[in-house]
Amino acid sequence: MAVPAGVTSGAGATTAAGGSSPGRGRHVRSKNKRFGLTPGRAWLLIAPTLVILAIVIVYPVVRALVMSFSKDPGLDPATGMFVSGGSAGFANYTHWILQQCTSASGTLVPCPPGTLGSQFWGAVGNTAFFTVVTVSIEVLIGFAMAVIMGKTFAGRALLRAAILIPWAIPTAVTAKLWYFIFAYDGIANRILGTNILWTGDAWPARFAVIIADVWKTTPFMALLILAGLQMIPADVYEAARVDGASAWQRFTKITLPLVKPALMVAILFRTMDALRMYDLPAILTEGNPATRTISILVVEQIRQGFNSAAALSTISFVMIFVVAFILVKFLGANAVATQDTQRKGAGR
């Protein structure tokens, strides 16, 4: 009987569809075994990466935790002698959370006003305020910018490049730029005809930080949202128009649900970044207590004691982790899971 084209007999046979024969499979397994690439040794391929991650990430985290439960070197109030430290238990954490400081007699007392320990909850409030306000504004403006950049018109490429310029500027340069704009005799007061101390007074300083941060990071939000908008097929909108859907209905029933994965990922990234805000308020307002964030408080505490700063860094890490967990678990910031759910729904 004639053998069809593309099919040969024997142990090394190959099908017309291009499938591998049992003989070829045995050859590949034999070759892998010769080079030591057995399933039991697959971990050797990722071992170098795991070692690097352990050095760069795991060790600093563990070291910070150990330091957070140790006392800072200093004078013993009881003896007046210099001591190297020792175990502190949860004293470094209660120092920040309960705002307790050690008096000259060695007893715990409420931290006096002006000390770093008394500014913890104020810094938490400032950080939360900046995060909620800036991310909310950036989502609204970024969405509008993404919709405009997604349309086809002359000069679209130039517009996209121009919009991304603020995001490309280093944050320190941005802070100094807006510092000159918000100076007492700067552009802002001259245009508005006012004499506002933008970087000195409490609320003007907060608004200055918000304006500068929105100007810099809104293009980042717009870029991520634009990527989500471009994944929506054009024929979906065309079908909605044929069915008589209005522009508002197309936006609420098509655009928002389909762009949600990219939108939530953008909100997640931006929220985590805002919770770690340091250089913009530190440079723009030059240490104004009204704009002091947790990261600024950590840096200021490092100058006085590393172990107490390690405890504050751990608290900051836990706060950011909780916020990220809520966004991913309950608000749908997991883009992969959201897309899988949408595919299953479309399959039905």
Side-chain angles (χ1 to χ4, degrees), residues 172-195:
V173 177
T174 299
K176 208 61 181 177
L177 170 66
W178 284 96
Y179 174 81
F180 293 124
I181 293 176
F182 287 121
Y184 183 76
D185 57 348
I187 299 175
N189 278 337
R190 289 181 179 271
I191 293 178
L192 299 175
T194 57
N195 296 313

Side-chain angles (χ1 to χ4, degrees), residues 191-248:
I191 293 178
L192 299 175
T194 57
N195 296 313
I196 301 175
L197 295 175
W198 288 99
T199 60
D201 292 340
W203 280 104
R206 294 189 180 103
F207 290 137
V209 171
I210 291 171
I211 293 172
D213 189 69
V214 169
W215 179 82
K216 174 175 174 55
T217 55
T218 296
F220 172 75
M221 300 289 290
L223 186 64
L224 293 182
I225 297 173
L226 177 62
L229 290 175
Q230 291 181 334
M231 296 297 293
I232 303 176
D235 54 359
V236 176
Y237 290 106
E238 186 63 28
R241 292 190 188 95
V242 173
D243 292 339
S246 63
W248 178 251

